[in-house]
């Protein structure tokens, strides 16, 4: 889903979120594990001040496991609770209820001291488009949930989904804008297909992706696109254009006269990356590790 954000939309979304946030105890923020910072909304920390915070590293199946661990540690150090999930398959979702209890321990204690027992924690799911909010709500809430009626103050149309005795979820996720004015972020979001490819044309996007892979995951391109006898050839021996030409060759994307079809090759490498066929790849590393190269 590509949403065009305009200042008016952002003001409206922010206002709605401010209202909804008054009603909840916990913000469940989904990020894309391949780009955990680039896929965050720039204003969420300010909007969520004073609320318990849970980050879900979603699409963790597409990101490198080593980096998933590194990001989990990084976010925890910043004071967030973190769970690695795959909203599509449901992996990791079982842990969430326990972590929510932990994240809202103070509130639960406070309620208990006031004699309020078993009031469910109320949570809201937020994230930029395409991080997997609706997939997550569907898998997490599943069929087991019951919708409770409208309650005063909740944005019109919103309802609470009672997940179990301890947790209620606002049924509509808070869709927020990405930090798209930052070019690096724009490029990362274009790689994962979360913004229009218009930021760069596909050929340029593919060449940027190839450059990134050659630097941080030098074994990936040879493994997928070179014949066995050439896989061991030292990395970095091909330019981006030569890689596109190689991809066109192995996939039989040739124009009349045998010229490589660079456009088709570019689409193939981008699609292979987005679908996970190139392997599990994280595109953004925790800030302290920015300079380090990674081995999956
Ligand atoms: P949104 O509400 O935040 O906009 O995101 P949505 O749930 O629509 O998910 C966007 C895409 O990401 C969907 O794929 C969805 O299946 C996929 N997705 C969500 N969570 C995960 C995950 O943990 N792992 C993987 N690999 N994919 C995930 P789609 O191609 O747009 O739709 P579909 O082909 O699944 O129907």
């Amino acid at each position: 889903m590509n949403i065009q954000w305009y200042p008016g939309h952002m003001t409206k979304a922010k206002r709605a979120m401010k209202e909804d946030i008054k009603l909840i105890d916990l913000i469940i923020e989904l990020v894309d594990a391949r780009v955990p910072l680039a896929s965050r909304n720039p204003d969420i920390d300010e909007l969520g001040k004073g609320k318990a915070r849970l980050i879900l590293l979603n699409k963790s199946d597409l990101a490198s496991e080593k980096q998933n661990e590194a990001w989990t540690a990084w976010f925890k150090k910043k004071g967030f609770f973190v769970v690695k999930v795959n909203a599509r398959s449901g992996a990791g979702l079982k842990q969430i209820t326990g972590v929510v209890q932990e994240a809202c321990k103070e509130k639960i204690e406070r309620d208990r001291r006031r004699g309020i027992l078993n009031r469910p924690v109320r949570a809201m799911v937020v994230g930029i488009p395409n991080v997997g909010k609706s997939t997550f709500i569907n898998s997490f809430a599943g069929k087991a949930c019951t919708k409770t009626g409208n309650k005063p103050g909740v944005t019109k149309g919103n309802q609470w989904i009672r997940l179990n005795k301890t947790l209620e979820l606002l049924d509509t996720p808070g869709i927020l804008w990405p930090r798209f004015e930052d070019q690096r972020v724009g490029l990362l979001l274009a790689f994962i297909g979360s913004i229009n490819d218009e930021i760069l044309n596909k050929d340029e996007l593919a060449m940027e992706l190839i450059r990134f892979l050659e630097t941080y995951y030098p074994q990936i391109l040879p493994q997928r696109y070179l014949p066995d006898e050439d896989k061991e050839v030292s990395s970095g021996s091909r330019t981006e254009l030569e890689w596109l030409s190689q991809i066109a060759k192995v996939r039989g994307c040739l124009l009349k006269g045998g010229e490589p079809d660079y456009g088709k090759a570019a689409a193939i490498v981008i699609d292979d990356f987005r679908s996970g066929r190139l392997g599990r790849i994280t595109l953004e590393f925790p800030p302290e590790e920015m300079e380090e190269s990674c081995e999956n």
Side-chain angles (χ1 to χ4, degrees):
M1 174 178 30
N2 288 308
I3 296 182
Q4 295 294 330
W5 292 99
Y6 298 104
H9 293 158
M10 300 196 319
T11 312
K12 212 170 142 198
K14 205 164 165 172
R15 202 182 306 133
M17 183 147 305
K18 271 188 175 155
E19 283 309 304
D20 289 345
I21 277 179
K22 289 181 191 158
L23 305 163
I24 58 153
D25 309 301
L26 168 81
I27 295 179
I28 300 178
E29 179 187 354
L30 267 85
V31 300
D32 187 310
R34 294 167 296 175
V35 286
L37 288 185
S39 58
R40 296 192 73 204
N41 166 267
D43 293 340
I44 186 67
D45 287 333
E46 177 214 315
L47 283 163
K49 238 185 219 153
K51 298 291 170 184
R53 305 291 300 278
L54 169 59
I55 296 239
L56 298 184
L57 276 182
N58 192 37
K59 308 200 186 183
S60 59
D61 55 306
L62 298 174
S64 121
E65 191 48 31
K66 183 184 163 201
Q67 294 303 324
N68 286 343
E69 291 304 323
W71 277 111
T72 301
W74 190 84
F75 278 115
K76 280 186 177 167
K77 226 194 284 173
K78 303 265 172 232
F80 295 95
F81 287 81
V82 186
V83 181
K84 262 183 317 187
V85 296
N86 172 351
R88 208 184 236 175
S89 75
L93 300 187
K94 279 202 183 112
Q95 283 179 57
I96 293 176
T97 308
V99 177
V100 165
Q101 290 290 299
E102 179 71 20
C104 297
K105 213 155 79 184
E106 280 179 23
K107 178 212 112 59
I108 294 166
E109 272 305 310
R110 212 168 41 237
D111 279 356
R112 192 169 294 155
R113 281 198 299 273
R114 291 180 187 154
I116 306 167
L117 293 179
N118 304 326
R119 186 169 87 70
V121 165
R122 288 196 179 144
M124 177 183 189
V125 174
V126 306
I128 67 166
N130 210 39
V131 285
K133 294 177 295 303
S134 15
T135 310
F136 166 71
I137 292 178
N138 285 338
S139 321
F140 191 50
K143 293 180 200 89
C145 69
T146 48
K147 284 193 179 182
T148 62
N150 273 322
K151 295 205 174 138
V154 180
T155 312
K156 204 161 173 268
N158 283 353
Q159 290 192 315
W160 296 97
I161 302 171
R162 172 162 286 205
L163 289 166
N164 51 47
K165 277 190 190 133
T166 63
L167 184 59
E168 280 185 358
L169 215 60
L170 204 55
D171 80 336
T172 347
I175 303 171
L176 293 170
W177 58 96
R179 206 160 5 112
F180 46 67
E181 68 287 352
D182 176 335
Q183 275 208 347
R184 189 191 66 89
V185 169
L187 183 64
L188 293 174
L189 295 177
F191 283 153
I192 63 168
S194 278
I195 55 171
N196 283 329
D197 290 334
E198 68 202 17
I199 184 167
L200 284 177
N201 70 41
K202 260 217 158 126
D203 296 4
E204 286 171 349
L205 193 63
M207 294 216 278
E208 289 284 356
L209 181 62
I210 289 170
R211 204 168 300 148
F212 176 89
L213 293 173
E214 282 279 78
T215 308
Y216 293 101
Y217 297 84
Q219 73 286 18
I220 292 252
L221 294 170
Q223 257 163 29
R224 181 133 184 112
Y225 302 119
L226 289 184
D228 283 347
E229 62 274 20
D230 293 343
K231 282 198 202 314
E232 299 306 320
V233 174
S234 66
S235 63
S237 56
R238 285 179 173 75
T239 63
E240 291 82 29
L241 208 60
E242 283 166 347
W243 268 118
L244 285 180
S245 170
Q246 170 62 20
I247 294 164
K249 198 171 110 195
V250 290
R251 293 304 176 82
C253 305
L254 302 175
L255 298 168
K256 269 188 215 145
E259 279 295 297
D261 186 336
Y262 290 112
K264 273 206 179 133
I268 286 172
V269 68
I270 291 170
D271 197 49
D272 280 352
F273 163 72
R274 288 179 183 166
S275 63
R277 285 191 294 271
L278 286 184
R280 298 176 63 175
I281 296 167
T282 300
L283 296 173
E284 194 178 35
F285 309 121
E288 293 85 359
E289 298 175 20
M290 227 44 173
E291 300 307 315
E292 277 179 34
S293 105
C294 80
E295 292 167 28
N296 283 328

